[in-house]
Amino acid sequence: MNRTISSALRGSVVEEEVALTTLELGRACRTSEQQIEVWVSEGVLQPRGETREAWRFHGDSLARMRLATRLMQDLEINTAGVALALDLLERIAELESRLRR
């Protein structure tokens, strides 16, 4: 997620260089490790690492996960819908950034 969208959507600064495990990300977002696996399979989250045990999520993943969780809970959007909504929000932010130049 680019800095423009992540700053606008989360409302606070998240350390970009933080590397969270699946368990740590789940605790930070109050969600299960299984849900994180679903988000990874849908492309919502893109961890670094080859295996599930080696996955590491950075600060932008934390903000993206929190937004995904809110969309799913508050608006009752399914997993595929959340992935699409996040992609569209990023695209809007990119276009708005271009217009400001």
Side-chain angles (χ1 to χ4, degrees):
M1 182 182 306
N2 68 37
R3 288 179 188 256
T4 305
I5 186 106
S6 59
S7 295
L9 295 177
R10 71 176 163 236
S12 63
V13 175
V14 173
E15 182 61 45
E16 297 291 329
E17 297 181 18
V18 158
L20 302 170
T21 65
T22 304
L23 179 62
E24 292 168 333
L25 182 63
R27 286 181 181 162
C29 296
R30 296 184 182 136
T31 193
S32 69
E33 291 180 67
Q34 292 78 22
Q35 184 60 50
I36 292 171
E37 289 179 29
V38 170
W39 292 128
V40 170
S41 69
E42 287 289 329
V44 171
L45 298 175
Q46 298 174 344
R48 293 188 183 174
E50 296 296 318
T51 64
R52 184 183 174 279
E53 293 76 25
W55 283 353
R56 294 298 176 267
F57 300 89
H58 295 278
D60 60 338
S61 294
L62 177 62
R64 193 168 171 87
M65 181 70 192
R66 286 181 174 164
L67 179 56
T69 302
R70 275 198 335 256
L71 288 170
M72 190 171 208
Q73 291 173 351
D74 296 350
L75 300 178
E76 299 180 8
I77 299 174
N78 66 18
T79 304
V82 168
L84 176 62
L86 291 173
D87 289 344
L88 291 173
L89 287 169
E90 283 183 356
R91 184 68 180 144
I92 290 168
E94 289 171 18
L95 293 170
E96 287 176 340
S97 176
R98 285 186 191 175
L99 286 173
R100 283 188 226 118
R101 291 185 209 161

